[in-house]
Amino acid sequence: MTTSTATTLANVVASPPSGRPKAVVFDHHEYAASVILRGGPVPWDNPTAYAAFFAQAQGLLRPDVALLDLNRLYGHLTAGNTGLETEMAARSRTGFALRTLLGNGDLNRAVLDFVTVFAKTARQPVVLRIPSPMEWLVGTHHFSGAEDTSDLDADNAENASMYVSDWLRAFAGLPIAGLLLDNRTPAGASRSVHVPLEAYTPIANLAGNYRWTLGQLDDDRVRLQGNPAVGAYIPARFWLGPDVELPAGDFYVGELPSAASPEGVLARLETLG
């Protein structure tokens, strides 16, 4: 099945809908939870309420896309699910835990319902962010009984990409502009084997078929498949003071810290155009 969306992430980078000189992709989750929800619970269990909360943050910040982090959603949906954890630990085979997670019918229905509401109500082009197959593999590998992840290699990650691509087919009918694989090293973790975006052929083929722009967040930059544009990260301290310059890049990706003040954020937004 081939689907299309009126706008792709590549289109957004080439011509930002916000009118800014360069497109911006914001992860405003922590900031919005602090400023809008004032530390209250994020309405993960009510997709409509979450969409309204998200839209309020989008209206304040005016990013060029609506970025939905599915890793956060999975974190909420799987918290305390001992039955699922038992199923994921049933085999020691590398990748079994990830395959079990992505094949869980109850989870898949909940995730699809959530993403459907989000995608159909968002006012900006929707970009999904998920862990890269390597990082998702690293994050679930302990269920195999392994004490560390030093035995994981690029071949394991490429195999994991098949499970991820099969799972992504559920979103085929939704208006999605892009898919970003988060390959950044988690805080406090050691760098796992780096797997380039080009290695994930099953995901690349699926993204091409659905006309999604595929990209990868690496530690130093953001790359888009088949596109020369390179994304730069907005430093977190940029939002906390006026003396931080932006790095060179064709577009920007930034995470707004919860400690940033609304007045300071608005002032810094002005410098982005």
Side-chain angles (χ1 to χ4, degrees):
M1 176 182 180
T2 300
T3 63
S4 63
T5 181
T7 302
T8 66
L9 178 56
N11 297 150
V12 169
V13 168
S15 182
S18 64
R20 292 186 174 102
K22 297 181 181 181
V24 291
V25 179
F26 287 149
D27 175 357
H28 51 58
H29 180 85
E30 298 297 334
Y31 174 77
S34 174
V35 172
I36 297 174
L37 300 178
R38 300 189 179 279
V42 176
W44 291 116
D45 297 317
N46 185 332
T48 301
Y50 181 88
F53 152 67
F54 189 93
Q56 189 173 352
Q58 293 283 101
L60 292 172
L61 302 171
R62 299 187 303 107
D64 289 286
V65 302
L67 178 69
L68 178 60
D69 188 312
L70 293 188
N71 197 37
R72 285 197 182 102
L73 177 59
Y74 263 84
H76 171 78
L77 293 175
T78 60
N81 190 335
T82 56
L84 175 62
E85 292 176 355
T86 298
E87 292 175 10
M88 293 172 66
R91 299 284 187 277
S92 60
R93 185 171 67 251
T94 298
F96 177 84
L98 177 58
R99 187 175 187 177
T100 301
L101 174 71
L102 298 179
N104 185 277
D106 291 339
L107 268 179
N108 287 345
R109 282 187 289 274
V111 171
L112 180 58
D113 288 347
F114 191 98
V115 177
T116 297
V117 171
F118 184 91
K120 292 187 175 181
T121 57
R123 295 182 179 179
Q124 296 82 19
V126 173
V127 173
L128 302 181
R129 184 172 68 188
I130 63 173
S132 70
M134 174 54 99
E135 288 305 312
W136 224 338
L137 191 60
V138 167
T140 55
H141 191 53
H142 64 281
F143 287 103
S144 71
E147 295 183 0
D148 58 47
T149 59
S150 60
D151 59 329
L152 297 177
D153 57 24
D155 288 339
N156 297 135
E158 290 177 44
N159 290 336
S161 73
M162 292 188 290
Y163 311 147
V164 176
S165 65
D166 286 344
W167 167 77
L168 285 167
R169 295 181 192 281
F171 308 123
L174 298 179
I176 293 171
L179 174 69
L180 292 177
L181 308 180
D182 196 343
N183 197 54
R184 294 172 294 176
T185 306
S190 58
R191 174 73 262 178
S192 56
V193 174
H194 181 269
V195 180
L197 180 60
E198 290 77 13
Y200 299 130
T201 303
I203 297 176
N205 290 342
L206 178 139
N209 193 37
Y210 295 162
R211 298 191 177 96
W212 300 346
T213 299
L214 178 64
Q216 180 158 290
L217 304 169
D218 287 319
D219 287 332
D220 59 342
R221 61 177 180 170
V222 184
R223 288 189 52 218
L224 303 180
Q225 185 187 41
N227 192 309
V230 176
Y233 294 111
I234 300 175
R237 63 186 185 279
F238 171 84
W239 304 104
L240 304 176
D243 300 323
V244 179
E245 295 185 2
L246 291 170
D250 299 306
F251 64 100
Y252 292 115
V253 176
E255 181 172 345
L256 280 76
S258 60
S261 70
E263 296 79 10
V265 166
L266 289 177
R268 300 305 279 155
L269 285 174
E270 290 296 322
T271 68
L272 294 174

